[in-house]
Amino acid sequence: MNGFKKISLTALTLILSASLSACGNSNSNSQATTSSDKSGTDKSVKITLLNSKGEIQTQLEDAAKSFHEAYPDITLEIQQVPSGTSPFERASTLYASGNQPTMIMLDTGDVAKFKDHILELGDEKWNGDAIDSALDLTTIDGKNYAFPLAVEGYGLIYNKQVLDKAVGGNFDPASINTTSALEELFKKIEASGKKALTISPMDWSLGAHYLPLAYGGQSKDSTEVSGFIDSLKAGTADLSSNKVFNGLMDTFDVMMKYNMDQASPLSPTYEKGPELLGKGEVGIWFMGNWAWPQISGFDTADKQYGFLPVPISNNPDDYGNAQISAAVSKRIVVDKEKTTPEQQAAAKKFFDWIVYDQAGQEFLVNKANIVPAFKNITMETPDPLGKSIQAYLAAGNVEPSLSDLPADHWTKVGASMQKYLSKAGDRATLAKEIGDYWKKVK
Amino acid sequence: MIGEKGFWNRLRVRLLFTGPTLFAFLTVMIIPFIYGIYLTFTSWDGISVAHPLVGFKNYGSVFADSEFWSSFGLTLKYVLFTVVLTNVLAFLLAYALTKSVKGQNVFRAGFFMPNLVGGIVLGFIWQFIFNNVLVYLGQKASIGIFSASWLADPDKAFWTLVIVTIWQYAGYMMVIYVAGLTGVPADIQEAASIDGANSWQKLIRMTIPMMVPSFIVCLFLSLQRGFMVYDLNLTLTKGGPFGSTQLVSMHVYQKAFLSRDYGVGQAEAFVLFLLVAVITLLQVYFSKKMEVEA
């Protein structure tokens, strides 16, 4: 019996210590120990990037391979945010479980929340080559915390072939600068036997893209726009009598009138949009340049697509009638809690590789079809929607997208917009619900 | 071995057998639960390093959050319909499949099958059916009720959730009822027949009372699943159209991770835990009283 006792005691100690040490490892420094073990032997570093731009997953994986060829001692692994999950959700759960990746691709508005966990990148060379005001929203107390990856823009995407036929000649996008001109165009498209447009009813499209035009269109001056947002929070702004909001919703009314899914406006899925536009069944779709890979899969118009602004009045000179909305939408940040100095250096090398290396630029512009946020990259993007954005940028006709709205803005306000779209609520209800939402924002 | 002398000897032996399980239970259940309760007293946003303590303010916000209570109300409605309909259907299926039906094993397997599909996949499949297949059929054959997507209408979207839930769980509950039905002793049935009871009387007076343990289990399972449903809600309707089918788990999740109000979200989760615990305990307590011995 004595012998058995000893055995059982040893077994117990073994089991407990094994489970304890396993736990301790995963909680604190497994990543650090494994990587330092590796760097001790063959100096290789493994870094990870959490990708929240699902449409470029394969391109990023290829980029990771060519980056590895350029720097054989660095291995880059690309992880993916599941579709339908916001990057913030995924990143915060990864932080909570202690499995944070080296680099995280976040939406602009999320960067400030991660301030305590991420590395300052303000001293990197590429800061000097970024396009104007690209770093403003991620600069906190004078220090930039994020790498601007992509400029994205949105508006009314048109299929030039359909529109050429409808107007009987060469369609000029500059001719659409008022609500009535847009309605005229819808009529012509329908007269030519095609459907005028499709409205994709996703809450993010209506709540994070369409409605914010009403905020951003208030003024050219960004301080006035943020002043307007402040007055919404304070409850002093009256949306129902606001000129820009009403103008934008008047345009929405016109869009609803010519919407091909009027019978059941909430039925269409996102996947239907690129198919209808690419096959030339509709002339116009409200969406952004990220939809190009899907549109190109159905392309019948020989890559001739572009953006029209969403008009907000019948005066062609009003701000917003010639502008499309665009801004730096995706940023990459570097974790500083678990990453080793070697991993941090490797991550910084990856940024330099994207901005200054031929292969990196090639990946960014030609493979991933991204409109770069850097002045030194002169390559023209091959995708027609990116080209259209670059043209608007060059002409100075860009209205900054409001990419730092509160995180739940798109679900809450998007739901109100869906209600309006399905005629379950009128404009007064919409204005009231938007006003109520903002009053609750802290 | 449990007869070991002395407190320490006994503790050592017990730890040897229960220690690993106890350790796992503590680290993955109890400690996170207590830590979660601690977080309800903070205004943490889910990511920042600081956890500012705010006392009971978050619980105040829970009671002031009208959306939480309306989604809870919707969940009650959902639970009511799914629990009743799932169990009625499951019992009928089980009753039919314990009588001598040809190929009953095939039917049993077939009805059980939906349970093997994960909730996420299932949601996407049914979303496709409701959005595309039924709409296509409805438009081709001009069946008015299917001509527009059910998921685009607040009331019909709610019923899609109920229908898919019943489809998924009825087979599982059926298996439990089949086990209960085959457990009813044949001799008392026979005795009842000799006494002149018809099959309806036998079902109501004998079979159902004998099956109370099965009902307890099935009601408990379907109640708990109904309150906690999230996967199907997310993939089938995403809470839409315009937030009208957002059940309470989804609301709590969105509060914590989307509105970045982790403290309030966690407090809502705790309140939900208490409510569901009370409801299910009451159900088990009262139905236990109805158990009978053969």
Side-chain angles (χ1 to χ4, degrees):
Chain A
M1 199 63 195
N2 213 7
F4 182 78
K5 254 190 215 164
K6 258 186 197 156
I7 293 166
S8 70
L9 191 67
T10 331
L12 178 65
T13 337
L14 271 177
I15 290 165
L16 278 181
S17 59
S19 46
L20 273 175
S21 61
C23 164
N25 248 347
S26 66
N27 266 353
S28 55
N29 49 11
S30 65
Q31 209 176 352
T33 43
T34 46
S35 61
S36 63
D37 282 352
K38 271 191 193 158
S39 61
T41 52
D42 56 5
K43 284 197 177 170
S44 71
V45 189
K46 191 185 165 218
I47 53 174
T48 48
L49 166 66
L50 178 69
N51 171 30
S52 59
K53 222 169 132 53
E55 66 271 20
I56 61 162
Q57 177 71 13
T58 46
Q59 288 90 332
L60 263 175
E61 282 164 4
D62 292 342
K65 276 179 211 143
S66 56
F67 178 62
H68 184 63
E69 278 162 25
Y71 297 93
D73 52 345
I74 306 174
T75 316
L76 173 62
E77 187 192 293
I78 312 291
Q79 303 170 346
Q80 196 173 6
V81 174
S83 73
T85 310
S86 81
F88 179 90
E89 273 172 61
R90 184 71 191 141
S92 56
T93 45
L94 285 173
Y95 262 100
S97 65
N99 284 323
Q100 60 267 51
T102 322
M103 293 179 276
I104 306 170
M105 196 192 291
L106 290 174
D107 291 333
T108 301
D110 297 334
V111 173
K113 292 270 179 189
F114 283 82
K115 182 172 78 75
D116 301 334
H117 306 273
I118 57 180
L119 208 61
E120 276 171 35
L121 299 169
D123 298 330
E124 296 298 299
K125 186 181 165 209
W126 44 258
N127 281 273
D129 288 313
I131 56 171
D132 297 339
S133 71
L135 306 176
D136 291 357
L137 290 170
T138 56
T139 302
I140 304 154
D141 303 329
K143 303 230 166 76
N144 176 32
Y145 280 85
F147 174 83
L149 179 72
V151 175
E152 290 185 313
Y154 61 84
L156 298 164
I157 306 178
Y158 63 88
N159 177 324
K160 191 161 182 292
Q161 217 169 51
V162 175
L163 266 56
D164 280 349
K165 205 176 141 220
V167 299
N170 193 11
F171 172 71
D172 173 21
S175 65
I176 306 302
N177 49 15
T178 59
T179 306
S180 47
L182 185 68
E183 181 162 12
E184 207 54 42
L185 179 67
F186 288 157
K187 276 183 195 154
K188 282 181 190 161
I189 302 173
E190 295 212 327
S192 74
K194 300 277 187 182
K195 303 278 187 207
L197 87 160
T198 174
I199 304 175
S200 292
M202 289 80 60
D203 48 5
W204 52 265
S205 177
L206 299 172
H209 299 151
Y210 193 86
L211 185 74
L213 292 171
Y215 312 144
Q218 294 291 330
S219 165
K220 259 182 195 166
D221 185 357
S222 65
T223 53
E224 269 187 50
V225 172
S226 51
F228 179 73
I229 300 274
D230 289 339
S231 67
L232 278 172
K233 282 184 192 167
T236 52
D238 180 21
L239 269 179
S240 56
S241 65
N242 187 282
K243 194 170 151 260
V244 180
F245 172 75
N246 278 311
L248 185 76
M249 293 316 294
D250 286 343
T251 305
F252 199 65
D253 287 344
V254 172
M255 286 166 67
M256 280 162 65
K257 196 170 144 197
Y258 291 91
N259 180 15
M260 65 173 285
D261 296 291
Q262 280 180 55
S264 178
L266 297 183
S267 296
T269 53
Y270 175 77
E271 290 74 20
K272 253 185 94 181
E275 184 177 346
L276 290 167
L277 188 79
K279 287 184 174 170
E281 284 169 30
V282 297
I284 289 173
W285 180 38
F286 177 77
M287 198 41 65
N289 63 309
W290 53 86
W292 173 246
Q294 289 100 327
I295 298 174
S296 69
F298 297 101
D299 180 25
T300 56
D302 196 23
K303 288 197 170 188
Q304 293 191 72
Y305 300 85
F307 283 106
L308 297 176
V310 180
I312 48 141
S313 71
N314 279 325
N315 176 5
D317 299 328
D318 278 351
Y319 176 64
N321 283 348
Q323 282 80 13
I324 65 159
S325 185
V328 178
S329 56
K330 290 288 180 186
R331 320 266 179 166
I332 303 181
V333 299
V334 179
D335 169 67
K336 72 172 177 189
E337 287 181 343
K338 264 204 177 169
T339 47
T340 60
E342 293 84 36
Q343 285 176 318
Q344 292 173 4
K348 287 176 180 171
K349 268 186 200 153
F350 180 60
F351 297 148
D352 285 339
W353 179 80
I354 292 178
V355 183
Y356 299 110
D357 193 290
Q358 183 69 29
Q361 295 186 354
E362 170 80 15
F363 146 71
L364 192 69
V365 180
N366 285 334
K367 301 268 174 58
N369 288 318
I370 281 174
V371 179
F374 295 97
K375 283 179 276 194
N376 68 309
I377 303 180
T378 48
M379 263 179 215
E380 200 186 47
T381 154
D383 115 48
L385 297 181
K387 254 183 219 160
S388 181
I389 292 178
Q390 282 178 327
Y392 277 98
L393 272 169
N397 276 336
V398 163
E399 176 185 313
S401 309
L402 287 130
S403 44
D404 56 345
L405 290 168
D408 56 357
H409 179 272
W410 59 272
T411 47
K412 298 280 165 65
V413 173
S416 306
M417 287 290 287
Q418 287 177 336
K419 213 181 262 183
Y420 185 79
L421 177 62
S422 68
K423 301 202 173 100
D426 58 4
R427 194 178 296 182
T429 322
L430 177 68
K432 188 179 168 297
E433 286 183 352
I434 298 169
D436 288 348
Y437 165 78
W438 278 103
K439 276 181 228 160
K440 278 191 209 158
V441 171
K442 283 169 200 156
Chain B
M1 266 179 50
I2 221 72
E4 295 272 354
K5 285 201 181 103
F7 175 73
W8 291 111
N9 281 340
R10 244 183 299 171
L11 182 72
R12 209 161 58 201
V13 173
R14 283 193 188 176
L15 270 185
L16 172 65
F17 289 103
T18 56
T21 320
L22 201 64
F23 178 76
F25 184 65
L26 275 176
T27 47
V28 306
M29 298 285 291
I30 301 299
I31 293 174
F33 187 75
I34 293 170
Y35 185 64
I37 295 177
Y38 156 71
L39 286 177
T40 64
F41 299 109
T42 68
S43 64
W44 194 43
D45 62 3
I47 187 69
S48 69
V49 175
H51 294 178
L53 281 169
V54 292
F56 282 91
K57 193 167 148 274
N58 288 336
Y59 288 94
S61 312
V62 174
F63 290 100
D65 184 359
S66 60
E67 279 180 44
F68 174 73
W69 294 104
S70 66
S71 64
F72 186 73
L74 187 75
T75 311
L76 280 179
K77 187 175 151 197
Y78 167 81
V79 166
L80 180 78
F81 285 114
T82 55
V83 167
V84 172
L85 295 175
T86 306
N87 285 289
V88 168
L89 182 68
F91 185 80
L92 291 178
L93 288 175
Y95 192 70
L97 294 182
T98 44
K99 303 289 149 202
S100 41
V101 179
K102 262 195 183 166
Q104 49 172 273
N105 284 334
V106 177
F107 282 114
R108 283 186 197 177
F111 289 124
F112 183 72
M113 205 70 91
N115 246 283
L116 305 176
V117 187
I120 303 278
V121 179
L122 196 126
F124 282 125
I125 294 171
W126 278 92
Q127 190 189 42
F128 181 76
I129 294 176
F130 279 113
N131 260 341
N132 300 53
V133 180
L134 288 181
V135 175
Y136 181 81
L137 289 177
Q139 283 169 351
K140 291 284 161 193
S142 3
I143 307 167
I145 194 162
F146 291 129
S147 62
S149 171
W150 275 34
L151 298 175
D153 179 281
D155 286 326
K156 288 181 190 159
F158 173 80
W159 287 104
T160 62
L161 279 177
V162 174
I163 291 168
V164 177
T165 309
I166 295 169
W167 179 80
Q168 185 184 12
Y169 289 134
Y172 187 77
M173 303 306 161
M174 174 198 75
V175 171
I176 300 174
Y177 286 130
V178 165
L181 278 169
T182 43
V184 176
D187 49 353
I188 61 161
Q189 299 267 21
E190 207 180 308
S193 308
I194 293 166
D195 289 341
N198 59 30
S199 52
W200 175 251
Q201 284 170 323
K202 276 196 283 178
L203 175 70
I204 298 297
R205 300 270 167 100
M206 311 193 60
T207 311
I208 289 182
M210 293 294 291
M211 281 183 61
V212 169
S214 305
F215 283 108
I216 296 176
V217 172
C218 286
L219 285 177
F220 176 79
L221 283 176
S222 45
L223 267 178
Q224 175 260 341
R225 287 185 177 185
F227 275 112
M228 297 302 173
V229 68
Y230 177 74
D231 46 3
L232 191 67
N233 195 196
L234 181 75
T235 48
L236 189 62
T237 68
K238 257 194 178 167
F242 39 87
S244 56
T245 60
Q246 200 177 67
L247 297 178
V248 70
S249 295
M250 192 166 182
H251 176 80
V252 168
Y253 181 86
Q254 296 211 333
K255 196 84 192 169
F257 294 102
L258 205 67
S259 306
R260 290 171 205 173
D261 235 342
Y262 198 93
V264 178
Q266 185 71 40
E268 288 180 350
F270 187 58
V271 170
L272 178 66
F273 163 79
L274 291 178
L275 289 170
V276 176
V278 167
I279 292 171
T280 46
L281 285 176
L282 282 178
Q283 178 256 323
V284 173
Y285 175 77
F286 282 110
S287 38
K288 274 266 178 204
K289 289 193 160 180
M290 293 164 66
E291 275 189 45
V292 290
E293 292 287 321

